[in-house]
Amino acid sequence: MQNKRLIILLECAIFAAVAMVLSFIPLDIGSSFSISLGMIPMYVIAIRRGFWAAGFAGLLWGLLHFLTAKAYILMPSQAIIEYILAFSFIAFSGVFSKQVRINLAANKLKETIQWAWGTMIIGGVARYFWHYVAGVLFWGAYAFKGWGAQLFSIVMNGASCLGTVVVSGIVISILLKTSPKLFLPK
């Protein structure tokens, strides 16, 4: 049992590190829209290990932003919302992990991919909800002329969430077909 916990913690650290490396690939358009390739390994660990592991890996990834100077910090409360809360809420990417793994083990690829997309959408929305909150509270001054903070934040964070989920979902769907063992721990 102790070895299993250690293995899960190590997997979380590895996937967080891979997510951080992928974060350095520039997919930002302007200052407010980006596609977060780091969500790909977060979705893998979420499906592979579930809610708590995804939350821990997400938290580690969020903390790595501070260590690598990739965090955009206006004030401590904004940093907590965007790098601690938002990344911890990646945990919700694991809500249907069991259903994904059961269908994958039974070679039901269509159902596997449907459950995977469902869990990725939930996890993406959970993370980007907190970015939306931070956008309203802290980034409103950067809104386009004539746009309020709420509209600006929902459009930009919504577009980032959608782009991230779609790109990640395509990659995860391919991985589920080509490398199913990646998602099925022993």
Side-chain angles (χ1 to χ4, degrees):
M1 187 65 163
Q2 197 74 328
N3 283 342
K4 183 180 178 184
R5 283 190 194 139
L6 179 60
I7 288 169
I8 292 170
L9 291 174
L10 288 171
E11 286 181 11
C12 290
I14 291 167
F15 280 98
V18 171
M20 194 69 234
V21 169
L22 290 174
S23 296
F24 285 102
I25 297 173
L27 287 179
D28 300 341
I29 300 170
S31 62
S32 302
F33 174 79
S34 66
I35 293 174
S36 181
L37 294 179
M39 286 298 286
I40 296 167
M42 291 295 103
Y43 288 139
V44 173
I45 192 70
I47 292 169
R48 181 177 171 84
R49 294 294 185 179
F51 184 89
W52 295 109
F56 181 64
L59 174 62
L60 290 176
W61 181 30
L63 293 173
L64 285 171
H65 283 76
F66 297 116
L67 295 174
T68 59
K70 216 50 191 126
Y72 301 99
I73 302 171
L74 295 175
M75 60 186 59
S77 54
Q78 172 264 332
I80 290 167
I81 291 171
E82 291 208 90
Y83 296 101
I84 306 297
L85 281 175
F87 284 83
S88 294
F89 268 63
I90 292 171
F92 286 91
S93 300
V95 294
F96 296 133
S97 63
K98 188 174 182 180
Q99 290 87 340
V100 176
R101 290 191 313 270
I102 288 169
N103 282 290
L104 187 58
N107 286 327
K108 296 179 181 177
L109 192 58
K110 182 180 176 186
E111 292 85 350
T112 298
I113 291 174
Q114 288 172 343
W115 281 109
W117 275 86
T119 207
M120 288 185 286
I121 291 167
I122 291 169
V125 169
R127 174 188 168 191
Y128 280 94
F129 166 78
W130 290 106
H131 293 302
Y132 162 77
V133 169
V136 171
L137 296 175
F138 305 105
W139 299 101
Y142 299 95
F144 299 133
K145 187 176 180 174
W147 289 42
Q150 291 178 334
L151 177 61
F152 181 72
S153 190
I154 194 76
V155 168
M156 291 305 177
N157 286 299
S160 293
C161 177
L162 181 63
T164 296
V165 169
V166 168
V167 169
S168 298
I170 291 168
V171 172
I172 294 296
S173 295
I174 292 168
L175 288 173
L176 285 165
K177 291 177 187 177
T178 61
S179 304
K181 290 182 181 180
L182 180 62
F183 300 92
L184 298 170
K186 292 182 180 180

